[in-house]
Amino acid sequence: MFHRIDEFIQGWKHESATTLKLMETLTDESLSCQVTPEGRTLGYLAWHIALCIGEMSSKAGLPVRGPAEDSDAPSTAAEISAAYRDSAAQLTDTVSAHWTDATLEEEVNMYGEQWKKGFVLSVLLAHEVHHRGQMTVLMRQAGLKVPGVYGPSREEWAAFGMPPAR
């Protein structure tokens, strides 16, 4: 749980930049990739990440504009990454403008439970990282080069002239 706005903003800027790096690697063709016929597609996961910023924020009382919670995923990777970029950038400005360190201890109703606002921000960040991991698996299946997230990817190791990490 976050206890200070500046800690959240620092973490969010790092993680959202990483998510955007993945989003900008997607191609229109890759959006339909899925593990099983019942599973989520890569495009849906990317869209879900983009729209949850506004959805979770608004439930917590932060006016972040974003795609409607029930909207269908766009058909292009560029539209998804643009929506993500806009919502992710708005989030830091909106949190700074509307909340203080003290308000992070206040509780709000989230999904039928009482969550501290600092916990809402933690869940939002963890939720994104969780789905980003799912995206990287689907990106590999779609034949995309996955950029490094918390270190170099296989392709980046090769570009450094090093054998891939095991």
Side-chain angles (χ1 to χ4, degrees):
M1 183 175 115
F2 288 101
H3 298 281
R4 292 192 0 235
I5 297 290
D6 64 325
E7 289 175 339
F8 168 72
I9 289 174
Q10 182 180 356
W12 180 257
K13 284 184 176 181
H14 173 76
E15 296 299 342
S16 64
T18 301
T19 300
L20 187 58
K21 187 168 53 167
L22 292 179
M23 296 269 190
E24 291 176 340
T25 303
L26 301 177
T27 63
D28 295 348
E29 297 76 29
S30 71
L31 299 180
S32 61
C33 185
Q34 61 192 126
V35 175
T36 65
E38 304 82 29
R40 292 174 167 178
T41 64
L42 178 54
Y44 177 84
L45 283 170
W47 186 241
H48 177 67
I49 291 170
L51 68 84
C52 278
I53 297 169
E55 182 258 326
M56 286 185 74
S57 298
S58 67
K59 286 185 185 325
L62 288 170
V64 175
R65 293 178 320 279
E69 187 177 341
D70 59 351
S71 63
D72 292 329
S75 59
T76 70
E79 289 175 278
I80 294 170
S81 64
Y84 175 79
R85 183 183 310 105
D86 292 345
S87 292
Q90 278 184 63
L91 182 61
T92 55
D93 294 339
T94 305
V95 168
S96 294
H98 293 273
W99 288 357
T100 65
D101 293 347
T103 61
L104 295 179
E105 296 296 323
E106 295 174 2
E107 291 188 345
V108 291
N109 185 318
M110 293 292 289
Y111 312 107
E113 299 178 347
Q114 292 299 307
W115 292 5
K116 289 186 178 187
K117 290 178 178 179
F119 184 66
V120 171
L121 297 177
S122 294
V123 169
L124 182 60
L125 194 82
H127 173 264
E128 181 163 315
V129 171
H130 163 71
H131 287 305
R132 195 172 67 201
Q134 294 173 325
M135 283 180 60
T136 61
V137 172
L138 289 170
M139 290 171 74
R140 286 259 182 242
Q141 287 186 319
L144 300 176
K145 292 181 181 177
V146 177
V149 175
Y150 294 117
S153 67
R154 179 177 64 226
E155 294 85 1
E156 290 168 337
W157 278 110
F160 297 150
M162 301 172 69
R166 297 185 89 196

